Each structure stands twice: as structure tokens, then as C-alpha cells.
Amino acid sequence: MKSNKHTTPHTTETEFGGAIGAACLIVLLPLTVLFLMSVCVSEEGAVFRWPPTLPPHSDFYDPRAVFIITGWISTHILLYLLPVGKVSEGLILRDGSRLKYPINGFHALCVTAVLVCVCVCLGVPLAVLYELMVPLAVCAVGVAFLLSLYLYTCSFWTPAHALAPGGNTGHAVYDFFIGRELNPRIGSFDLKYFCELRPGLIGWVVLNAVMLLKEVELRGSPSVSMLLVNVFQLLYVTDALWNEEAVLSTMDIVHDGFGFMLAFGDLVWVPFTYSLQAAFLVSHPHQLTPFSALAIIMLNGIGYYTFRKSNSQKNQFRRDPTHSSVRHLETIPTATGKRLLVSGWWGFVRHPNYLGDLLMALAWSLPCGISHILPYFYVLYFSVLLVHREARDERQCRAKYGASWDAYCRRVPYRIIPYIY
Ligand SMILES: NC(=O)C1=CN([C@@H]2O[C@H](COP(=O)(O)OP(=O)(O)OC[C@H]3O[C@@H](n4cnc5c(N)ncnc54)[C@H](OP(=O)(O)O)[C@@H]3O)[C@@H](O)[C@H]2O)C=CC1
Ligand SMILES: CC(C)=CCC[C@@H](C)[C@H]1CC=C2C3=C(CC[C@@]21C)[C@@]1(C)CC[C@H](O)C(C)(C)[C@@H]1CC3
């Protein structure tokens, strides 16, 4: 195969502070995960305490963790390869082709749920994974680094049209971080699509279940707070896998390369930081009053309704604008032939789905009480991620739709939160 090194024009625009920012993030992101997990299990649970309470070095490695992570990823590779469910086509690529993707993530979730139930019934001590959380995270970081090195190296044998628009600056560290290749595959196995929805996302809810089992082991029964966190987050993950096809049109699949940022995000950040609320509740039990439990359930319900309805409305409109559920909506034309919704959910704010997601994020943290900042880490990080994501999407839409996008922004002035942002 011919190397593309000398044939691809380099992108000049960078994000995250360029090569220096990327280098810092490559070091800081894994340290942040380990720091948060260590603080979470400590008695004080204090993020701002200095020096931080860290476990001894010996606690960072356990051979069982290597075995578990290898087994977990292998199981999900097998489930991905099972010929069940339909096969969908992604959006049209620059060379005019369309890739095929198996839509069987929901099956993988169901099989995992059955396996977890069988383990519990057979008395397999799953709660022991709670003690292995830090070595499991260390091992997942190792997998993310190895995978990113593999992706970066292989990208030099990829044709120029298969590279991501933003991951080809020529700065090795930056490109390693952002990802050079858009849709890296081994045969028909799509590495980015697999990582985005399977091992990390399903791993997150399994870790939550482990926390619940640990709580039962320690206190005899699960708390209302723990049940709420588990049910809310399971609903979110089930929704993502039930609507798996919709991920094929997200910017991560369509626009972003697959490098350290997404590999680490999918395999480490999602399972080990999104499960912090449940981990926190094991070491810091919190009693909810029936009224606060009800208020939190309502908040999650409103958030989920906003998130699902707005995502479904846009997906339906993009698939078939003449469908009875969307044809009454007001739209504006664009030069590309596509139209933009200016009424319904997308006439309320420019990102109603982000608003719903943020309301849910708050509902996942509130069951932990308000005595510590740690369970609110997800809300804070997620707000930053969505504001940054909104700005990136805005740039891409302005480039795509020009004056029509400006007209949409005038018509719908608020980005995520009405009258505030
Ligand atoms: N839990 C987590 O960690 C994360 C969750 N998310 C969630 O993922 C979901 C997907 O988010 P994301 O991929 O960022 O983007 P969106 O689903 O918000 O899609 C943005 C795209 O929608 C289209 N669009 C925008 N405005 C309109 C309009 N008025 N009418 C019609 N089409 C419009 C444009 O694409 P086009 O015109 O080309 O169709 C635009 O690029 C969200 O619900 C988000 O909250 C995202 C990141 C992390
Ligand atoms: C700090 C760091 C390394 C950030 C990387 C960002 C990733 C963690 C997120 C980028 C986009 C994501 C999406 C989801 C999870 C988080 C990441 C990977 C998602 C799978 C969550 C479930 C949703 O329903 C979704 C499928 C729409 C969503 C897609 C984007």
C-alpha cells in the first residue's frame, strides 16, 4: 500500500490549544480520571483538599483487571459480529461511497443484562469489581493508548479522502489526539462506531450495577438514591442503543477522526467518570425524602422527554420531511436543498436536545445530595462539552448553510437555555 504522507494537504486550523493543548490533555485526562476515582472512594470525598488522598502505588495494578478488560472487550467484539439486527448505511462519504454498519447494539445490551443476572443468580461476587475500579481504569487507559497508537500509525496508509478534515495538521501529537482517519476499519469492523456505543457505554451501566451490589453487600439493601441513579442512567444508555442508527449522523461519526480523544473518551472517560455518582453513593450514603425523590424523577422525566422528542423530531425531519409528524412544521430553505426547522422543538432553542441532556445530568447528581461537589463533576464537565460542541456545530452549520443559518439564528436567538444562553 502507498503511504499518503506526501499527497495530503495539511489542515491548519486547530482546537484545544493546538499541539501543546493536546499534549497536556493526553497527560491530564487519565490523571483526572484516576484522581476523581480516588477521591470518590475516600472518606472525605473532597476534591479541593491538598494534598489529595491517593491510594498506594500497588493499588493501581492488578492482573485480574487485565483479564477482565480483555474479556469484556472480546465479548463485545463477538456480540458486534453476530449477524443479528439490520445493517444500515452511513452518510455519503467524500468519495461518494457509503459504509455499512450493523445495528445490533441493543442486542448486545440485552445479552449483557442476561449475563449479569446469571452471574448474580449463580453467586458470582460481582461486587468485588468495586475494589478493582482503579486497576480497571488503569488497564482501560492502556487499551486507549495502544488503540490510538495503532490508529495513528495505520492512518498513514489510508487514502487522502478517508482522512478527517481536522486531524491532518502535520503535528504528530495533535493529530494523534484528534485522530487522522475518519472511519478506521479492520475489514468491515468499524473501530470508531464500535467504541462509541459498546464497551464503554454498556460498561458504564454494568459498573453502576456493581456499585448497587456493593451497597447491598454493605448495607443490606439498595438506597433510593442508588436506585434512581441506576435507573436513570440505564434508561439513557438503553435509549442510545435503541436509537443506535441515529449515531451515524452525529458529528463524531460524520466529521471527527478517531484518535486518542475519542478512544479515551469512549473507553475510559464514559465508563469511569459517568459512573462516579453511583461510586460516590457507596462510600457516602445519602437519604432522600419522598418529596425530593419525586422532584428528581420529574426533572429526569422532563429532561428525557425534551432530549428524546427533539432528537426524534430532527431525525424524522431529515429522513422524511413529508412525514405526518413533521410536515406541519415551519422551515427555511438553504442553498444545499436541505431545509432548517424554525418551529417545534428546534424553534424553541437551537439545541433543545442539549437542554434535555443537561436537565438529565442534573437529575443524576441530585440523588447524591448537595454536601459534595464531586457528584456534580458530570454536570460541570458536560456543560463545558456541550458549549464547546455547540460552537463547533454552529461553525460547521454556518459554513454549510451561510445566510440561511444566520436567518435561523435571528429567528431562534438562544442556543441552549431560553433567555440565558
Ligand atoms: N452524554 C454525552 O456524553 C453526550 C451526549 N450528546 C448528545 O448527543 C446528541 C447528538 O448531539 P450532536 O451530535 O452534537 O448534534 P445534534 O443532534 O444537535 O445535531 C446537530 C445537527 O443537526 C442539524 N440541525 C441543526 N439545527 C437544525 C434545524 N433547525 N433543523 C434541522 N436540522 C438542524 C445540523 O445538521 P444537518 O443540517 O447536516 O442535518 C446540525 O449539524 C445530543 O442529544 C447530545 O445531547 C453529545 C455528546 C456527548
Ligand atoms: C474528555 C473527553 C476525552 C471527551 C471526549 C468526548 C466523549 C466522551 C463524548 C463525545 C461524544 C460522545 C457521545 C456519547 C458519549 C460521550 C461521547 C463519546 C453518546 C454515545 C452518549 C449517548 C447518547 O445518546 C449519544 C448516542 C447521542 C452520544 C453520542 C455522542
Side-chain angles (χ1 to χ4, degrees):
M1 255 185 290
K2 200 163 89 62
S3 159
N4 62 30
K5 215 184 289 187
H6 306 292
T7 52
T8 315
H10 284 170
T11 356
T12 48
E13 257 177 55
T14 57
E15 294 184 89
F16 304 104
I20 295 177
C24 293
L25 285 171
I26 291 169
V27 177
L28 287 179
L29 286 172
L31 292 179
T32 306
V33 174
L34 297 177
F35 168 73
L36 290 171
M37 291 176 70
S38 308
V39 172
C40 196
V41 294
S42 72
E43 204 179 305
E44 306 84 21
V47 180
F48 299 116
R49 194 189 127 124
W50 197 260
T53 332
L54 295 175
H57 289 113
S58 54
D59 284 9
F60 283 92
Y61 175 75
D62 190 307
R64 286 174 297 172
V66 181
F67 178 75
I68 293 166
I69 293 282
T70 315
W72 176 253
I73 295 179
S74 310
T75 306
H76 280 279
I77 292 176
L78 286 179
L79 293 173
Y80 177 98
L81 294 173
L82 278 186
V84 288
K86 65 173 179 174
V87 174
S88 272
E89 286 192 330
L91 299 189
I92 301 175
L93 299 173
R94 261 175 289 158
D95 67 347
S97 65
R98 293 178 83 166
L99 294 172
K100 289 190 165 50
Y101 297 87
I103 308 294
N104 60 9
F106 185 71
H107 297 89
L109 177 68
C110 294
V111 172
T112 309
V114 171
L115 290 177
V116 170
C117 291
V118 169
C119 285
V120 172
C121 294
L122 293 177
V124 178
L126 288 182
V128 83
L129 291 178
Y130 176 74
E131 273 81 45
L132 288 179
M133 288 292 282
V134 172
L136 284 172
V138 170
C139 187
V141 169
V143 173
F145 266 106
L146 289 178
L147 175 61
S148 314
L149 277 173
Y150 167 83
L151 293 167
Y152 182 72
T153 311
C154 289
S155 71
F156 287 97
W157 280 270
T158 303
H161 65 76
L163 296 180
N168 184 30
T169 61
H171 290 290
V173 175
Y174 183 81
D175 293 348
F176 168 85
F177 179 75
I178 289 287
R180 291 188 86 238
E181 193 174 343
L182 189 57
N183 302 298
R185 287 187 159 211
I186 300 174
S188 64
F189 187 90
D190 193 290
L191 290 159
K192 183 167 65 169
Y193 174 70
F194 168 74
C195 289
E196 180 97 347
L197 285 173
R198 314 294 177 102
L201 210 60
I202 301 178
W204 165 23
V205 286
V206 170
L207 288 179
N208 277 350
V210 165
M211 311 301 174
L212 189 144
L213 292 169
K214 185 69 193 175
E215 202 188 42
V216 172
E217 188 184 291
L218 290 174
R219 302 190 190 99
S221 64
S223 62
V224 174
S225 298
M226 181 65 93
L227 286 172
L228 290 186
V229 169
N230 266 264
V231 171
F232 292 165
Q233 299 187 344
L234 180 61
L235 170 71
Y236 188 70
V237 170
T238 307
D239 176 278
L241 293 163
W242 182 257
N243 297 290
E244 193 178 15
E245 216 172 338
V247 92
L248 298 178
S249 55
T250 59
M251 70 168 86
D252 314 83
I253 300 291
V254 176
H255 184 269
D256 294 347
F258 193 31
F260 181 80
M261 185 180 75
L262 269 187
F264 175 83
D266 292 338
L267 301 177
V268 185
W269 192 262
V270 169
F272 295 99
T273 69
Y274 287 28
S275 60
L276 277 177
Q277 287 101 344
F280 179 84
L281 285 170
V282 174
S283 40
H284 307 85
H286 181 71
Q287 199 77 32
L288 282 178
T289 63
F291 176 76
S292 38
L294 202 68
I296 293 171
I297 293 172
M298 278 173 63
L299 180 66
N300 193 68
I302 296 169
Y304 179 68
Y305 185 78
T306 310
F307 165 84
R308 176 64 8 246
K309 284 287 178 183
S310 56
N311 273 325
S312 297
Q313 189 171 69
K314 174 168 66 72
N315 293 342
Q316 183 60 58
F317 180 73
R318 281 286 175 249
R319 259 200 314 270
D320 175 13
T322 63
H323 190 270
S324 59
S325 63
V326 288
R327 68 168 168 244
H328 63 283
L329 294 171
E330 204 185 326
T331 60
I332 49 174
T334 74
T336 64
K338 273 185 174 181
R339 304 182 75 86
L340 289 169
L341 290 164
V342 288
S343 71
W345 286 103
W346 297 80
F348 177 51
V349 284
R350 298 209 289 273
H351 275 285
N353 48 354
Y354 290 4
L355 175 63
D357 227 332
L358 277 171
L359 293 177
M360 282 191 281
L362 190 59
W364 300 349
S365 300
L366 287 169
C368 302
I370 50 168
S371 57
H372 289 75
I373 187 84
L374 188 84
Y376 292 84
F377 173 78
Y378 179 71
V379 185
L380 297 174
Y381 136 79
F382 199 43
S383 306
V384 174
L385 178 114
L386 290 183
V387 166
H388 177 250
R389 207 171 162 91
E390 190 278 333
R392 289 180 75 201
D393 190 54
E394 183 105 1
R395 265 201 310 279
Q396 286 167 25
C397 285
R398 184 157 289 115
K400 253 187 302 189
Y401 303 127
S404 303
W405 184 259
D406 291 330
Y408 174 51
C409 293
R410 280 194 299 276
R411 177 79 188 259
V412 185
Y414 292 100
R415 296 171 159 99
I416 303 178
I417 307 176
Y419 304 105
I420 296 180
Y421 179 73

